[in-house]
Structures are given as structure tokens and as C-alpha cells.
Amino acid sequence: MEYVPYIREILLDEEIDEQEFVNTFNKFYKQGCYIYAIIPEYEQELLEELASDFNELNKFPLPRVFPREIGHLGYVKDNLNKYIFEFYLRSTTMDHLVFSETDATELLRNINKKNVHIYKLFELNRIPHITIGPDGQWLNVVEY
């Protein structure tokens, strides 16, 4: 039997502030979440901010980026939701960003420069997750 995901789009206010965003997020993840991302090298400020909390699993050249940029694949276990707004603000410059309560770190080890599809990893393994829509306009909440 094939599982069909239940997808909800949560529209975000154009001028959403950090507290309002965190409150919206807390409706889904009350105890924090994992933030899975491929952080481009040009987001050096974010990498420095996350220095002790970012668990890097791999790094490789990003496809479709010119000039070639290195992407840092990893995750943050954000128990206090202190980083989710920072990632939200950068979501328009980061192509690979997923939030989930599920620890999928072992599955992330399958991501490499030839297979950069984080979203497919969550879909194929039917892992509930949240992504941010284009231009940060909404949250895509995917449940199974």
C-alpha cells in the first residue's frame, strides 16, 4: 500500500518577526527539532554562528552554482528553537533546508555531490518534515 503524504501550507505574514515565527513553529515541534541543511560556503557568518552546534557530515561542490561553491552538509539539533528563525531568514539563499523531529542523520550520509536531494530522502523514507516555500512565504508541513 502506498502512503500519500498529507501536506499543509501555512501562510506566513510578510513581516513576520522572530517570536511569531517561533510560535508558529512550536505548534508542530514543541520540543525543538533537527535542522538539516547544506550550507553554502558564502554563508560563512552562519557557519561561524553555529560553530559548536553544527554537525558537519560532508562537504562537496554545489551543483548549479557558479562560481563553484562548497556546500557543508550537516544538521543542528535545535532543542530550544534558537536557530530556526536564522535559517528561515536565509532560506531564500539556501536550496537545501529541512526541519524535522526525526533523527535522520544516518540517512543523510547517503547525500553526496551526485545525489544532493535532501527532500527526496525525507519523502522516500516517509519522514514527517517541514520546508519553507519560495521567498519564505509559507511553511510546507508534510506528514505521513
Side-chain angles (χ1 to χ4, degrees):
M1 181 172 171
E2 188 174 320
Y3 292 95
V4 178
Y6 174 62
I7 302 172
R8 288 184 283 169
E9 291 181 353
I10 309 298
L11 191 62
L12 299 173
D13 184 25
E14 200 171 296
E15 300 294 323
I16 195 166
D17 65 13
E18 183 172 4
Q19 188 59 48
E20 189 178 354
F21 183 79
V22 170
N23 288 343
T24 300
F25 223 83
N26 282 339
K27 292 175 186 173
F28 304 101
Y29 301 144
K30 294 174 182 26
Q31 302 298 318
C33 67
Y34 289 88
I35 304 170
Y36 300 101
I38 298 176
I39 302 175
E41 218 168 39
Y42 57 78
E43 291 287 2
Q44 192 61 39
E45 183 181 311
L46 178 61
L47 287 166
E48 289 171 8
E49 183 180 333
L50 298 171
S52 63
D53 294 326
F54 185 69
N55 298 290
E56 187 172 312
L57 301 173
N58 199 353
K59 59 183 172 185
F60 44 81
L62 292 173
R64 298 178 288 144
V65 177
F66 185 81
R68 276 295 214 222
E69 285 284 339
I70 298 295
H72 299 266
L73 169 67
Y75 68 95
V76 173
K77 175 81 168 104
D78 193 2
N79 292 326
L80 304 174
N81 289 338
K82 67 180 185 178
Y83 294 121
I84 59 171
F85 190 69
E86 193 63 40
F87 276 94
Y88 165 71
L89 292 175
R90 298 176 193 292
S91 66
T92 57
T93 61
M94 293 173 52
D95 291 338
H96 307 280
L97 178 60
V98 178
F99 303 87
S100 180
E101 282 185 312
T102 305
D103 181 354
T105 54
E106 285 306 312
L107 295 171
L108 242 60
R109 295 187 193 284
N110 297 326
I111 302 290
N112 57 48
K113 66 182 177 185
K114 293 180 183 171
N115 176 24
V116 185
H117 303 290
I118 289 181
Y119 304 118
K120 283 188 179 182
L121 177 118
F122 281 83
E123 291 169 6
L124 290 172
N125 291 284
R126 297 189 300 271
I127 299 172
H129 61 281
I130 295 176
T131 60
I132 299 173
D135 298 328
Q137 297 171 342
W138 65 82
L139 297 177
N140 297 306
V141 181
V142 182
E143 298 171 326
Y144 294 91

